[in-house]
PDB file of all heavy atoms in Angstrom:
ATOM      1  N   ALA A 207      97.805-155.214 -80.703  1.00 94.00           N
ATOM      2  CA  ALA A 207      96.635-154.520 -80.151  1.00 94.00           C
ATOM      3  C   ALA A 207      95.362-155.012 -80.836  1.00 94.00           C
ATOM      4  O   ALA A 207      94.347-155.288 -80.180  1.00 94.00           O
ATOM      5  CB  ALA A 207      96.797-153.017 -80.334  1.00 94.00           C
ATOM      6  N   PHE A 208      95.412-155.149 -82.157  1.00 92.00           N
ATOM      7  CA  PHE A 208      94.221-155.610 -82.872  1.00 92.00           C
ATOM      8  C   PHE A 208      93.873-157.043 -82.483  1.00 92.00           C
ATOM      9  O   PHE A 208      92.706-157.420 -82.420  1.00 92.00           O
ATOM     10  CB  PHE A 208      94.390-155.488 -84.396  1.00 92.00           C
ATOM     11  CG  PHE A 208      93.278-154.680 -84.996  1.00 92.00           C
ATOM     12  CD1 PHE A 208      93.468-153.366 -85.385  1.00 92.00           C
ATOM     13  CD2 PHE A 208      92.018-155.227 -85.140  1.00 92.00           C
ATOM     14  CE1 PHE A 208      92.436-152.613 -85.893  1.00 92.00           C
ATOM     15  CE2 PHE A 208      90.963-154.487 -85.651  1.00 92.00           C
ATOM     16  CZ  PHE A 208      91.179-153.168 -86.026  1.00 92.00           C
ATOM     17  N   SER A 209      94.898-157.837 -82.204  1.00 92.00           N
ATOM     18  CA  SER A 209      94.634-159.216 -81.757  1.00 92.00           C
ATOM     19  C   SER A 209      93.779-159.179 -80.496  1.00 92.00           C
ATOM     20  O   SER A 209      92.805-159.916 -80.365  1.00 92.00           O
ATOM     21  CB  SER A 209      95.938-159.941 -81.414  1.00 92.00           C
ATOM     22  OG  SER A 209      96.790-159.984 -82.522  1.00 92.00           O
ATOM     23  N   LYS A 210      94.145-158.290 -79.579  1.00 93.00           N
ATOM     24  CA  LYS A 210      93.420-158.237 -78.312  1.00 93.00           C
ATOM     25  C   LYS A 210      91.982-157.757 -78.515  1.00 93.00           C
ATOM     26  O   LYS A 210      91.072-158.236 -77.849  1.00 93.00           O
ATOM     27  CB  LYS A 210      94.155-157.340 -77.328  1.00 93.00           C
ATOM     28  CG  LYS A 210      95.515-157.926 -76.979  1.00 93.00           C
ATOM     29  CD  LYS A 210      95.999-157.484 -75.650  1.00 93.00           C
ATOM     30  CE  LYS A 210      97.183-158.330 -75.221  1.00 93.00           C
ATOM     31  NZ  LYS A 210      98.312-157.504 -74.780  1.00 93.00           N
ATOM     32  N   VAL A 211      91.806-156.813 -79.448  1.00 93.00           N
ATOM     33  CA  VAL A 211      90.451-156.320 -79.727  1.00 93.00           C
ATOM     34  C   VAL A 211      89.598-157.463 -80.277  1.00 93.00           C
ATOM     35  O   VAL A 211      88.483-157.709 -79.823  1.00 93.00           O
ATOM     36  CB  VAL A 211      90.503-155.159 -80.758  1.00 93.00           C
ATOM     37  CG1 VAL A 211      89.110-154.769 -81.203  1.00 93.00           C
ATOM     38  CG2 VAL A 211      91.242-153.967 -80.177  1.00 93.00           C
ATOM     39  N   VAL A 212      90.153-158.172 -81.250  1.00 90.00           N
ATOM     40  CA  VAL A 212      89.399-159.247 -81.902  1.00 90.00           C
ATOM     41  C   VAL A 212      89.117-160.379 -80.914  1.00 90.00           C
ATOM     42  O   VAL A 212      88.003-160.923 -80.875  1.00 90.00           O
ATOM     43  CB  VAL A 212      90.173-159.755 -83.151  1.00 90.00           C
ATOM     44  CG1 VAL A 212      89.559-161.025 -83.693  1.00 90.00           C
ATOM     45  CG2 VAL A 212      90.185-158.693 -84.231  1.00 90.00           C
ATOM     46  N   GLN A 213      90.096-160.705 -80.090  1.00 90.00           N
ATOM     47  CA  GLN A 213      89.908-161.815 -79.137  1.00 90.00           C
ATOM     48  C   GLN A 213      88.712-161.588 -78.217  1.00 90.00           C
ATOM     49  O   GLN A 213      87.972-162.512 -77.906  1.00 90.00           O
ATOM     50  CB  GLN A 213      91.147-161.982 -78.270  1.00 90.00           C
ATOM     51  CG  GLN A 213      92.257-162.734 -78.964  1.00 90.00           C
ATOM     52  CD  GLN A 213      93.571-162.577 -78.226  1.00 90.00           C
ATOM     53  OE1 GLN A 213      93.604-162.396 -77.025  1.00 90.00           O
ATOM     54  NE2 GLN A 213      94.656-162.623 -78.959  1.00 90.00           N
ATOM     55  N   LYS A 214      88.525-160.337 -77.812  1.00 90.00           N
ATOM     56  CA  LYS A 214      87.417-160.062 -76.885  1.00 90.00           C
ATOM     57  C   LYS A 214      86.076-160.352 -77.527  1.00 90.00           C
ATOM     58  O   LYS A 214      85.069-160.470 -76.848  1.00 90.00           O
ATOM     59  CB  LYS A 214      87.451-158.587 -76.451  1.00 90.00           C
ATOM     60  CG  LYS A 214      88.542-158.294 -75.451  1.00 90.00           C
ATOM     61  CD  LYS A 214      88.401-156.901 -74.913  1.00 90.00           C
ATOM     62  CE  LYS A 214      89.680-156.496 -74.219  1.00 90.00           C
ATOM     63  NZ  LYS A 214      89.755-155.062 -73.981  1.00 90.00           N
ATOM     64  N   LEU A 215      86.053-160.418 -78.857  1.00 87.00           N
ATOM     65  CA  LEU A 215      84.790-160.640 -79.548  1.00 87.00           C
ATOM     66  C   LEU A 215      84.611-162.096 -79.972  1.00 87.00           C
ATOM     67  O   LEU A 215      83.670-162.427 -80.676  1.00 87.00           O
ATOM     68  CB  LEU A 215      84.709-159.732 -80.781  1.00 87.00           C
ATOM     69  CG  LEU A 215      84.863-158.231 -80.494  1.00 87.00           C
ATOM     70  CD1 LEU A 215      84.790-157.426 -81.770  1.00 87.00           C
ATOM     71  CD2 LEU A 215      83.796-157.756 -79.526  1.00 87.00           C
ATOM     72  N   ILE A 216      85.522-162.949 -79.560  1.00 85.00           N
ATOM     73  CA  ILE A 216      85.407-164.362 -79.930  1.00 85.00           C
ATOM     74  C   ILE A 216      84.807-165.129 -78.747  1.00 85.00           C
ATOM     75  O   ILE A 216      85.465-165.276 -77.715  1.00 85.00           O
ATOM     76  CB  ILE A 216      86.787-164.950 -80.297  1.00 85.00           C
ATOM     77  CG1 ILE A 216      87.350-164.241 -81.521  1.00 85.00           C
ATOM     78  CG2 ILE A 216      86.692-166.453 -80.548  1.00 85.00           C
ATOM     79  CD1 ILE A 216      88.742-164.688 -81.928  1.00 85.00           C
ATOM     80  N   PRO A 217      83.575-165.587 -78.871  1.00 84.00           N
ATOM     81  CA  PRO A 217      82.938-166.234 -77.716  1.00 84.00           C
ATOM     82  C   PRO A 217      83.677-167.495 -77.267  1.00 84.00           C
ATOM     83  O   PRO A 217      83.628-167.857 -76.104  1.00 84.00           O
ATOM     84  CB  PRO A 217      81.535-166.594 -78.229  1.00 84.00           C
ATOM     85  CG  PRO A 217      81.351-165.857 -79.495  1.00 84.00           C
ATOM     86  CD  PRO A 217      82.698-165.534 -80.051  1.00 84.00           C
ATOM     87  N   GLN A 218      84.369-168.157 -78.191  1.00 84.00           N
ATOM     88  CA  GLN A 218      85.049-169.416 -77.833  1.00 84.00           C
ATOM     89  C   GLN A 218      86.425-169.201 -77.223  1.00 84.00           C
ATOM     90  O   GLN A 218      87.148-170.173 -77.001  1.00 84.00           O
ATOM     91  CB  GLN A 218      85.229-170.301 -79.083  1.00 84.00           C
ATOM     92  CG  GLN A 218      83.962-170.675 -79.798  1.00 84.00           C
ATOM     93  CD  GLN A 218      83.636-169.687 -80.902  1.00 84.00           C
ATOM     94  OE1 GLN A 218      84.148-168.568 -80.937  1.00 84.00           O
ATOM     95  NE2 GLN A 218      82.766-170.080 -81.808  1.00 84.00           N
ATOM     96  N   LEU A 219      86.803-167.936 -76.967  1.00 89.00           N
ATOM     97  CA  LEU A 219      88.173-167.687 -76.501  1.00 89.00           C
ATOM     98  C   LEU A 219      88.574-168.508 -75.265  1.00 89.00           C
ATOM     99  O   LEU A 219      89.644-169.125 -75.258  1.00 89.00           O
ATOM    100  CB  LEU A 219      88.374-166.187 -76.237  1.00 89.00           C
ATOM    101  CG  LEU A 219      89.789-165.805 -75.819  1.00 89.00           C
ATOM    102  CD1 LEU A 219      90.773-166.019 -76.954  1.00 89.00           C
ATOM    103  CD2 LEU A 219      89.852-164.364 -75.346  1.00 89.00           C
ATOM    104  N   PRO A 220      87.741-168.574 -74.224  1.00 91.00           N
ATOM    105  CA  PRO A 220      88.156-169.354 -73.045  1.00 91.00           C
ATOM    106  C   PRO A 220      88.431-170.819 -73.390  1.00 91.00           C
ATOM    107  O   PRO A 220      89.381-171.421 -72.874  1.00 91.00           O
ATOM    108  CB  PRO A 220      86.966-169.238 -72.094  1.00 91.00           C
ATOM    109  CG  PRO A 220      86.203-168.050 -72.550  1.00 91.00           C
ATOM    110  CD  PRO A 220      86.446-167.921 -74.014  1.00 91.00           C
ATOM    111  N   THR A 221      87.628-171.373 -74.302  1.00 91.00           N
ATOM    112  CA  THR A 221      87.842-172.770 -74.699  1.00 91.00           C
ATOM    113  C   THR A 221      89.171-172.919 -75.432  1.00 91.00           C
ATOM    114  O   THR A 221      89.942-173.851 -75.180  1.00 91.00           O
ATOM    115  CB  THR A 221      86.698-173.243 -75.642  1.00 91.00           C
ATOM    116  OG1 THR A 221      85.474-172.810 -75.092  1.00 91.00           O
ATOM    117  CG2 THR A 221      86.706-174.724 -75.835  1.00 91.00           C
ATOM    118  N   LEU A 222      89.437-171.982 -76.343  1.00 91.00           N
ATOM    119  CA  LEU A 222      90.694-172.044 -77.093  1.00 91.00           C
ATOM    120  C   LEU A 222      91.888-171.924 -76.146  1.00 91.00           C
ATOM    121  O   LEU A 222      92.875-172.655 -76.265  1.00 91.00           O
ATOM    122  CB  LEU A 222      90.752-170.927 -78.145  1.00 91.00           C
ATOM    123  CG  LEU A 222      89.644-170.924 -79.205  1.00 91.00           C
ATOM    124  CD1 LEU A 222      89.825-169.755 -80.169  1.00 91.00           C
ATOM    125  CD2 LEU A 222      89.640-172.231 -79.976  1.00 91.00           C
ATOM    126  N   GLU A 223      91.781-171.015 -75.184  1.00 94.00           N
ATOM    127  CA  GLU A 223      92.876-170.833 -74.221  1.00 94.00           C
ATOM    128  C   GLU A 223      93.083-172.094 -73.389  1.00 94.00           C
ATOM    129  O   GLU A 223      94.214-172.510 -73.140  1.00 94.00           O
ATOM    130  CB  GLU A 223      92.567-169.652 -73.297  1.00 94.00           C
ATOM    131  CG  GLU A 223      92.964-168.330 -73.918  1.00 94.00           C
ATOM    132  CD  GLU A 223      92.618-167.135 -73.033  1.00 94.00           C
ATOM    133  OE1 GLU A 223      92.090-167.333 -71.919  1.00 94.00           O
ATOM    134  OE2 GLU A 223      92.865-166.013 -73.487  1.00 94.00           O
ATOM    135  N   ASN A 224      91.968-172.688 -72.991  1.00 93.00           N
ATOM    136  CA  ASN A 224      92.074-173.928 -72.206  1.00 93.00           C
ATOM    137  C   ASN A 224      92.776-175.019 -72.994  1.00 93.00           C
ATOM    138  O   ASN A 224      93.625-175.735 -72.473  1.00 93.00           O
ATOM    139  CB  ASN A 224      90.676-174.438 -71.837  1.00 93.00           C
ATOM    140  CG  ASN A 224      90.241-173.859 -70.521  1.00 93.00           C
ATOM    141  OD1 ASN A 224      91.077-173.377 -69.765  1.00 93.00           O
ATOM    142  ND2 ASN A 224      88.949-173.898 -70.260  1.00 93.00           N
ATOM    143  N   LEU A 225      92.398-175.140 -74.262  1.00 94.00           N
ATOM    144  CA  LEU A 225      93.025-176.176 -75.092  1.00 94.00           C
ATOM    145  C   LEU A 225      94.530-175.932 -75.193  1.00 94.00           C
ATOM    146  O   LEU A 225      95.333-176.866 -75.089  1.00 94.00           O
ATOM    147  CB  LEU A 225      92.400-176.174 -76.496  1.00 94.00           C
ATOM    148  CG  LEU A 225      90.974-176.719 -76.595  1.00 94.00           C
ATOM    149  CD1 LEU A 225      90.408-176.479 -77.983  1.00 94.00           C
ATOM    150  CD2 LEU A 225      90.946-178.207 -76.276  1.00 94.00           C
ATOM    151  N   LEU A 226      94.904-174.669 -75.368  1.00 95.00           N
ATOM    152  CA  LEU A 226      96.338-174.355 -75.457  1.00 95.00           C
ATOM    153  C   LEU A 226      97.034-174.617 -74.121  1.00 95.00           C
ATOM    154  O   LEU A 226      98.160-175.111 -74.083  1.00 95.00           O
ATOM    155  CB  LEU A 226      96.529-172.903 -75.889  1.00 95.00           C
ATOM    156  CG  LEU A 226      96.264-172.645 -77.374  1.00 95.00           C
ATOM    157  CD1 LEU A 226      96.072-171.154 -77.653  1.00 95.00           C
ATOM    158  CD2 LEU A 226      97.410-173.177 -78.231  1.00 95.00           C
ATOM    159  N   ASN A 227      96.330-174.301 -73.031  1.00 95.00           N
ATOM    160  CA  ASN A 227      96.920-174.536 -71.706  1.00 95.00           C
ATOM    161  C   ASN A 227      97.146-176.020 -71.432  1.00 95.00           C
ATOM    162  O   ASN A 227      98.034-176.388 -70.671  1.00 95.00           O
ATOM    163  CB  ASN A 227      96.020-173.957 -70.614  1.00 95.00           C
ATOM    164  CG  ASN A 227      96.154-172.455 -70.535  1.00 95.00           C
ATOM    165  OD1 ASN A 227      97.140-171.890 -71.008  1.00 95.00           O
ATOM    166  ND2 ASN A 227      95.173-171.797 -69.957  1.00 95.00           N
ATOM    167  N   ILE A 228      96.329-176.865 -72.041  1.00 94.00           N
ATOM    168  CA  ILE A 228      96.536-178.311 -71.868  1.00 94.00           C
ATOM    169  C   ILE A 228      97.658-178.787 -72.801  1.00 94.00           C
ATOM    170  O   ILE A 228      98.531-179.564 -72.426  1.00 94.00           O
ATOM    171  CB  ILE A 228      95.235-179.093 -72.177  1.00 94.00           C
ATOM    172  CG1 ILE A 228      94.119-178.668 -71.233  1.00 94.00           C
ATOM    173  CG2 ILE A 228      95.464-180.598 -72.074  1.00 94.00           C
ATOM    174  CD1 ILE A 228      92.752-179.182 -71.642  1.00 94.00           C
ATOM    175  N   PHE A 229      97.629-178.265 -74.014  1.00 93.00           N
ATOM    176  CA  PHE A 229      98.572-178.715 -75.045  1.00 93.00           C
ATOM    177  C   PHE A 229     100.033-178.385 -74.689  1.00 93.00           C
ATOM    178  O   PHE A 229     100.932-179.221 -74.825  1.00 93.00           O
ATOM    179  CB  PHE A 229      98.166-178.050 -76.374  1.00 93.00           C
ATOM    180  CG  PHE A 229      99.167-178.195 -77.483  1.00 93.00           C
ATOM    181  CD1 PHE A 229      99.426-179.444 -78.040  1.00 93.00           C
ATOM    182  CD2 PHE A 229      99.853-177.101 -77.988  1.00 93.00           C
ATOM    183  CE1 PHE A 229     100.351-179.587 -79.064  1.00 93.00           C
ATOM    184  CE2 PHE A 229     100.774-177.236 -79.001  1.00 93.00           C
ATOM    185  CZ  PHE A 229     101.024-178.488 -79.547  1.00 93.00           C
ATOM    186  N   ILE A 230     100.234-177.186 -74.196  1.00 93.00           N
ATOM    187  CA  ILE A 230     101.603-176.689 -74.031  1.00 93.00           C
ATOM    188  C   ILE A 230     102.452-177.457 -73.009  1.00 93.00           C
ATOM    189  O   ILE A 230     103.514-177.975 -73.359  1.00 93.00           O
ATOM    190  CB  ILE A 230     101.539-175.177 -73.730  1.00 93.00           C
ATOM    191  CG1 ILE A 230     101.377-174.487 -75.062  1.00 93.00           C
ATOM    192  CG2 ILE A 230     102.766-174.654 -73.029  1.00 93.00           C
ATOM    193  CD1 ILE A 230     101.080-173.075 -74.946  1.00 93.00           C
ATOM    194  N   PRO A 231     101.997-177.577 -71.769  1.00 93.00           N
ATOM    195  CA  PRO A 231     102.873-178.258 -70.800  1.00 93.00           C
ATOM    196  C   PRO A 231     103.082-179.726 -71.149  1.00 93.00           C
ATOM    197  O   PRO A 231     104.140-180.286 -70.869  1.00 93.00           O
ATOM    198  CB  PRO A 231     102.128-178.115 -69.470  1.00 93.00           C
ATOM    199  CG  PRO A 231     100.737-177.760 -69.817  1.00 93.00           C
ATOM    200  CD  PRO A 231     100.749-177.119 -71.148  1.00 93.00           C
ATOM    201  N   ASN A 232     102.082-180.329 -71.794  1.00 92.00           N
ATOM    202  CA  ASN A 232     102.214-181.743 -72.143  1.00 92.00           C
ATOM    203  C   ASN A 232     103.119-181.981 -73.341  1.00 92.00           C
ATOM    204  O   ASN A 232     103.394-183.128 -73.705  1.00 92.00           O
ATOM    205  CB  ASN A 232     100.833-182.338 -72.426  1.00 92.00           C
ATOM    206  CG  ASN A 232     100.059-182.535 -71.146  1.00 92.00           C
ATOM    207  OD1 ASN A 232     100.422-183.365 -70.317  1.00 92.00           O
ATOM    208  ND2 ASN A 232      99.031-181.731 -70.945  1.00 92.00           N
ATOM    209  N   SER A 233     103.526-180.890 -74.007  1.00 93.00           N
ATOM    210  CA  SER A 233     104.362-181.045 -75.190  1.00 93.00           C
ATOM    211  C   SER A 233     105.729-180.388 -75.012  1.00 93.00           C
ATOM    212  O   SER A 233     106.496-180.294 -75.963  1.00 93.00           O
ATOM    213  CB  SER A 233     103.661-180.419 -76.407  1.00 93.00           C
ATOM    214  OG  SER A 233     102.328-180.853 -76.484  1.00 93.00           O
ATOM    215  N   GLY A 234     106.002-179.881 -73.832  1.00 92.00           N
ATOM    216  CA  GLY A 234     107.304-179.244 -73.571  1.00 92.00           C
ATOM    217  C   GLY A 234     107.473-177.941 -74.326  1.00 92.00           C
ATOM    218  O   GLY A 234     108.579-177.551 -74.688  1.00 92.00           O
TER     219      GLY A 234
END
Side-chain angles (χ1 to χ4, degrees):
F208 235 103
S209 301
K210 296 206 167 130
V211 172
V212 169
Q213 280 166 29
K214 285 188 195 165
L215 303 179
I216 297 177
Q218 301 92 342
L219 183 67
T221 315
L222 300 179
E223 276 178 1
N224 270 342
L225 288 172
L226 285 163
N227 283 340
I228 299 169
F229 169 67
I230 278 170
N232 286 293
S233 312

